Amino acid sequence: MISGRIISIDNGNKNIVDFATVYLKGTKFGGSTNREGFYHIHALPGDYTLVVSAVGYRTVEKKVSLKRGERIKMNITLVPKEQMLEEVTVVSTGVSRVKRSAFNAVAVDTKELKNSTKSLSEALAKAPGMKLRESGGVGSDMQLMLDGFSGKHVKIFIDGVPQEGVGSSFGLNNIPVNFADRIEVYKGVVPVGFGTDAIGGVVNIVTNKKRRNCFLDASYSYGSFNTHKSHVNFGQTFKNGFTYEISAFQNYSDNDYYIDADHVEQWKEDGSTVITDETFHVKRFNDTFHNEAVIAKIGVTDKLWADRLMFGFTYSNMYKEIQTGVRQHTVFGEKHRKGHSLMPSLEYNKRNLFVKGLDIVLTANYNRNATTNVDTASYQYNWFGERKIKTNGRGEQSEQYSRADNDNWNATLTVNYRIAKAHTLTFNNVWNTFHRTNTSLLTGAEIEDEFSKDTRKNIAGLSYRFMPSEHWNLSAFGKYYHQYVSGPVATDDKGTDYVLVERTVHSAGYGAAGTYFILPELQAKLSYEKAYRLPTIEEMFGDEDLESGEVNIRPENSDNVNLNISYSKNIGKHSVYVEGGLIYRNTKDYIQRNIQDLSGGKENATYTNYGKVVTKGYNLSARYSFSKWFSIGGNFTQMDVRDMEKYQIGSTGTSTPNLTYKARMANVPYMFADSDVTFYWHGLGKKGNILTVTYDNQYLHSFCYNSEVIGTNSDEYTVPNQFSHNLSVSYSLQNGRYNVSFECHNITDENLYDNFSLQKAGRAFYGKVRVYFGK
């Protein structure tokens, strides 16, 4: 028999390593450490190699010789890895490949970004195939584009909990990077454990759940456009397992940056309007944004009946002024919205429940958020901030003073059952229900709409994983989708009469994913899925303002294929990582966001099913690092998203050919790249201090707002080539206890655009201070 205790040394402190895997190499003899870090292994006499591994620590191997009747005591000390991520090989700072998993996934380590002013969405820009698309400055609408799919095609999770319907305060561009321990990106085919209906992929924000005695992480940053950001996170786990944690953050910005505006309206003294082709350099003036959020958790950890049981409560508040419509030439001077959200939550997980190998994770939350849209101005504004009295009533877009009350329930259940070492069954079920009521406040009295908007969604999945050796494994899965939708539909062109429409959708999907190590350093991954994506709340019900929903919109269905090959090699102090991926998507009933012209020169966004769309493309990623002193890497992505509908939607038979057949889809970037280089100076001034200098850039190739058949020859409908550069310098003292950083974004003051004609901020400067105390 061999037994002992597994501990770790982290920042000079000894910590117990529970649930570490301990086994005799090449045999079936093994087990895991208990809550106190102890292990016991019974084996036949002989010479063995004892292997100890744990998430976030370097694997240790020790020779051991067992004799009959003898008991050996062997304590092992583990050394933490630079990055703590299950099934990961760290090849350099920044992005790493989730290894052994058959799914095409990468992980973004946020450790080295915690001293920056980046949000979670900005941190994601380092992942291959990922593009962040924003419509303005701090707090603006944001979409993630992943391998040609954007917006609602990419689902967002926090610790495996879906974030649909949680409110804009928890958009990834409003959450500081310090909030996360790492970010996992699953591209295309997604593991059943997420229980999602994503077609484009999944982004999972993983927070730090390590047992920590006592810690405090606080930061504040200030920068251009009167931008203030702060974050504080503190908590403690006592010896009896009682745990508490509080996290709070806020963002504020005037967003008063300069833009180049075309088709600017100017008013003469006689009240007439003049529009010239001249371009004016103007300053935004109605774009202030601020949000605040507090997340509190309390519970117990490391109990016989629960590894983790936490009760949480989240409060968030938001205020946002609306500067433009869905295009930049529409200007608002007083339009705004505000809202708040309350969300209690429950989290429970237990390994080896009842029997060894049976793990369960259960989460539940209820989110009550209210958003009020205010558009009651009696004036019309232009880009110079001038105003004139409206002659056709109140409202810059359309007169409204209304509140949308949203009730969103969500529950997830994941059960894993490991049968020996080679077989694993996973069952996941996600249940979600949403209810919205709209109330008009225009008259001073609350007048509730006749019809509410409701949806219930349930997605169940079952997967089987076969892992006979470390060289290859295979997963096969099936999913069942169910959705009920109820909402009003207009019966006339004016939108004054409505009827209640109900519908129910049932679908089944399936897929498989496998991986094989051709060489220890060379890995191939292949996956396929018949996937369905159920319409989201925004696509069905809109945002009660500039986005119009469509209750009758149909789910998308898609055949998805992913092939990925990666190579990683460590040679002494040198680390090299290269990967390439091929993507194919054949999507039917593709849900497209369009711009609809309204009376008075206004527009809003609408959603519609658009026949067939085929996506083909590839992305490349490479990174090299030298010891702990230097890292350089980058990503390149090209995606061909084509309209494959031969005949015009709505036409009968083959009567009307589709003019955009085989053309690129509108407003979809198809070629973009990024790169970065980082230098580290360890021990500058004193041992434990680090100076970090990072330069990074982003390139976006020109693309059309409209179909390329219509907009190719018109600058008005074309986003130009863009190449932006950023520089950051940070200095960390006393092993990360005190930190200060300085950043310059968009050094060359490039004109940057992501969505339609909406221009983002130019050159900007930011500074940040951060302190961290903890064990």
Side-chain angles (χ1 to χ4, degrees):
M1 179 180 179
I2 181 171
S3 63
R5 196 178 197 187
I6 310 301
I7 63 171
S8 70
I9 303 294
D10 194 357
N11 292 329
N13 300 303
K14 291 185 178 181
N15 297 306
I16 295 169
V17 181
D18 53 356
F19 303 112
T21 300
V22 186
Y23 65 95
L24 299 179
K25 194 172 185 178
T27 74
K28 296 182 179 179
F29 303 121
S32 60
T33 57
N34 62 17
R35 292 184 297 121
E36 301 300 323
F38 291 105
Y39 72 93
H40 304 274
I41 299 176
H42 293 273
L44 298 174
D47 295 326
Y48 300 97
T49 298
L50 179 71
V51 181
V52 181
S53 63
V55 175
Y57 298 93
R58 299 184 186 278
T59 299
V60 173
E61 296 187 3
K62 296 281 188 180
K63 297 292 185 180
V64 61
S65 182
L66 297 181
K67 297 179 181 180
R68 186 176 302 276
E70 183 181 18
R71 178 170 179 170
I72 296 176
K73 183 177 181 181
M74 184 177 286
N75 297 328
I76 304 291
T77 300
L78 299 184
V79 177
K81 287 184 179 180
E82 294 180 6
Q83 179 175 1
M84 300 181 182
L85 178 62
E86 186 176 3
E87 298 185 335
V88 154
T89 295
V90 179
V91 296
S92 63
T93 57
V95 176
S96 57
R97 166 64 53 184
V98 178
K99 212 171 185 182
R100 291 200 296 272
S101 167
F103 296 91
N104 188 13
V106 295
V108 178
D109 183 12
T110 63
K111 180 180 179 180
E112 294 190 3
L113 301 175
K114 292 184 183 295
N115 291 332
S116 73
T117 61
K118 292 182 182 295
S119 64
L120 288 178
S121 59
E122 291 171 318
L124 277 168
K126 300 186 73 171
M130 182 69 74
K131 177 74 175 71
L132 171 64
R133 304 184 68 186
E134 293 180 299
S135 60
V138 177
S140 63
D141 294 334
M142 179 275 301
Q143 292 182 339
L144 291 174
M145 182 175 177
L146 181 59
D147 288 347
F149 280 89
S150 62
K152 313 302 186 297
H153 296 95
V154 181
K155 300 293 185 179
I156 309 299
F157 289 74
I158 295 181
D159 291 327
V161 178
Q163 296 300 292
E164 185 176 344
V166 298
S168 59
S169 286
F170 277 86
L172 292 188
N173 58 336
N174 295 329
I175 303 178
V177 72
N178 304 63
F179 183 80
D181 187 54
R182 68 180 185 271
I183 311 172
E184 299 172 345
V185 181
Y186 292 83
K187 305 165 69 175
V189 180
V190 177
V192 159
F194 286 106
T196 185
D197 54 338
I199 285 180
V202 156
V203 173
N204 184 35
I205 309 302
V206 183
T207 60
N208 193 339
K209 287 185 169 59
K210 285 177 54 183
R211 179 171 180 151
R212 293 179 282 182
N213 293 337
C214 185
F215 69 94
L216 167 68
D217 189 355
S219 63
Y220 168 78
S221 69
Y222 173 76
S224 299
F225 322 121
N226 195 28
T227 300
H228 305 258
K229 296 183 179 182
S230 58
H231 173 256
V232 61
N233 183 25
F234 63 92
Q236 187 175 6
T237 299
F238 296 89
K239 290 184 178 180
N240 62 2
F242 176 76
T243 302
Y244 74 90
E245 183 175 345
I246 296 177
S247 182
F249 62 87
Q250 65 81 218
N251 301 282
Y252 176 91
S253 182
D254 291 338
N255 287 318
D256 55 347
Y257 57 89
Y258 282 88
I259 63 168
D260 293 330
D262 299 317
H263 305 290
V264 176
E265 292 188 352
Q266 294 176 280
W267 301 313
K268 294 184 177 182
E269 293 183 0
D270 60 4
S272 62
T273 300
V274 175
I275 301 177
T276 66
D277 292 332
E278 185 178 354
T279 298
F280 294 92
H281 197 57
V282 295
K283 191 176 185 180
R284 297 171 72 102
F285 59 90
N286 184 52
D287 204 18
T288 296
F289 171 84
H290 69 79
N291 76 310
E292 303 81 30
V294 179
I295 306 102
K297 294 182 179 181
I298 188 171
V300 294
T301 58
D302 300 330
K303 297 295 183 181
L304 291 175
W305 42 272
D307 295 336
R308 184 177 174 89
L309 174 63
M310 301 295 291
F311 298 92
F313 184 81
T314 299
Y315 171 78
S316 64
N317 180 71
M318 175 271 296
Y319 172 83
K320 177 178 174 59
E321 294 175 348
I322 312 298
Q323 175 71 95
T324 71
V326 292
R327 286 199 181 103
Q328 191 165 276
H329 63 249
T330 303
V331 187
F332 301 134
E334 298 181 35
K335 184 175 172 61
H336 64 277
R337 69 172 59 115
K338 55 187 176 181
H340 64 271
S341 173
L342 299 171
M343 184 171 68
S345 62
L346 166 71
E347 173 193 351
Y348 172 81
N349 67 70
K350 180 69 178 76
R351 294 183 62 185
N352 300 318
L353 179 68
F354 305 130
V355 296
K356 184 177 181 180
L358 180 63
D359 305 336
I360 183 172
V361 178
L362 173 67
T363 69
N365 63 66
Y366 164 68
N367 184 5
R368 169 73 173 190
N369 68 74
T371 302
T372 302
N373 288 295
V374 182
D375 187 2
T376 57
S378 300
Y379 298 93
Q380 180 181 348
Y381 288 80
N382 65 11
W383 270 118
F384 298 110
E386 301 168 343
R387 66 182 188 180
K388 70 174 183 178
I389 296 177
K390 289 175 61 67
T391 59
N392 56 348
R394 297 195 303 169
E396 298 178 82
Q397 170 83 2
S398 59
E399 183 182 9
Q400 70 164 323
Y401 180 21
S402 62
R403 185 184 70 243
D405 294 306
N406 304 310
D407 296 284
N408 191 57
W409 292 86
N410 186 83
T412 67
L413 171 67
T414 303
V415 180
N416 280 292
Y417 184 47
R418 300 181 302 278
I419 306 170
K421 288 187 177 181
H423 311 276
T424 302
L425 292 173
T426 300
F427 172 78
N428 176 274
N429 192 87
V430 173
W431 174 80
N432 176 270
T433 181
F434 176 84
H435 173 79
R436 175 185 290 171
T437 56
N438 293 308
T439 303
S440 175
L441 308 173
L442 277 172
T443 62
E446 296 191 1
I447 303 176
E448 189 173 305
D449 282 3
E450 178 183 359
F451 300 112
S452 64
K453 299 174 180 179
D454 300 88
T455 180
R456 293 192 296 272
K457 180 167 68 172
N458 192 85
I459 303 173
L462 180 66
S463 74
Y464 165 69
R465 183 187 187 189
F466 179 54
M467 190 175 179
S469 75
E470 294 183 356
H471 299 292
W472 69 279
N473 64 81
L474 177 69
S475 295
F477 58 89
K479 293 181 180 180
Y480 174 74
Y481 308 84
H482 174 270
Q483 185 179 44
Y484 165 81
V485 182
S486 172
V489 173
T491 58
D492 61 344
D493 294 336
K494 296 181 180 179
T496 55
D497 293 323
Y498 292 86
V499 295
L500 185 67
V501 173
E502 298 177 292
R503 63 180 178 85
T504 302
V505 175
H506 302 271
S507 301
Y510 51 87
T515 184
Y516 179 73
F517 284 87
I518 304 168
L519 298 171
E521 304 87 4
L522 184 63
Q523 181 184 16
K525 296 185 177 188
L526 178 65
S527 57
Y528 164 79
E529 182 178 14
K530 178 66 175 180
Y532 288 83
R533 186 179 77 82
L534 304 175
T536 65
I537 293 166
E538 290 80 6
E539 290 168 336
M540 293 182 294
F541 305 138
D543 67 352
E544 311 301 335
D545 189 13
L546 299 175
E547 302 270 336
S548 298
E550 174 54 60
V551 172
N552 289 318
I553 201 164
R554 299 184 300 277
E556 295 178 326
N557 69 88
S558 176
D559 293 285
N560 303 336
V561 179
N562 294 272
L563 173 64
N564 182 275
I565 296 178
S566 61
Y567 176 84
S568 61
K569 183 71 173 179
N570 295 320
I571 306 173
K573 295 182 178 181
H574 305 272
S575 296
V576 177
Y577 180 76
V578 179
E579 76 159 285
L582 296 176
I583 297 95
Y584 174 82
R585 308 273 190 277
N586 184 1
T587 308
K588 302 176 182 64
D589 284 331
Y590 180 90
I591 298 178
Q592 184 180 30
R593 181 178 182 268
N594 298 312
I595 302 301
Q596 180 183 49
D597 292 323
L598 305 175
S599 60
K602 303 298 190 297
E603 310 93 7
N604 70 348
T606 62
Y607 295 91
T608 184
N609 290 110
Y610 190 86
K612 302 176 183 177
V613 173
V614 172
T615 301
K616 300 176 184 178
Y618 65 93
N619 51 59
L620 302 172
S621 181
R623 187 162 290 275
Y624 164 78
S625 63
F626 175 72
S627 186
K628 57 182 181 178
W629 299 100
F630 174 76
S631 174
I632 185 171
N635 308 293
F636 176 83
T637 299
Q638 180 159 340
M639 289 292 148
D640 211 12
V641 185
R642 298 279 178 174
D643 179 352
M644 300 304 292
E645 190 68 34
K646 289 185 178 181
Y647 305 101
Q648 198 173 97
I649 300 294
S651 64
T652 304
T654 61
S655 59
T656 309
N658 179 16
L659 296 178
T660 61
Y661 177 55
K662 292 189 176 181
R664 286 194 176 95
M665 294 297 290
N667 196 36
V668 178
Y670 65 89
M671 186 188 301
F672 48 92
D674 67 89
S675 64
D676 63 84
V677 57
T678 302
F679 297 90
Y680 308 91
W681 189 347
H682 293 261
L684 178 62
K686 186 180 180 181
K687 184 178 179 180
N689 297 355
I690 304 174
L691 176 70
T692 305
V693 180
T694 299
Y695 160 78
D696 65 89
N697 57 53
Q698 293 84 36
Y699 171 77
L700 177 64
H701 192 69
S702 175
F703 65 96
C704 297
Y705 298 151
N706 291 334
S707 169
E708 59 182 357
V709 174
I710 302 171
T712 301
N713 298 321
S714 173
D715 291 340
E716 183 178 356
Y717 297 105
T718 303
V719 174
N721 293 335
Q722 301 169 44
F723 192 29
S724 61
H725 312 265
N726 310 295
L727 182 68
S728 66
V729 179
S730 67
Y731 187 45
S732 178
L733 297 89
Q734 297 185 21
N735 295 310
R737 174 165 291 187
Y738 306 104
N739 309 271
V740 60
S741 62
F742 175 79
E743 302 174 20
C744 179
H745 296 184
N746 193 6
I747 298 171
T748 57
D749 203 22
E750 183 87 0
N751 284 351
L752 302 179
Y753 307 85
D754 279 335
N755 295 310
F756 293 100
S757 58
L758 303 174
Q759 188 174 341
K760 301 195 297 180
R763 185 187 299 113
F765 299 93
Y766 300 95
K768 180 177 180 178
V769 293
R770 173 176 173 254
V771 295
Y772 180 84
F773 300 90
K775 297 180 180 181

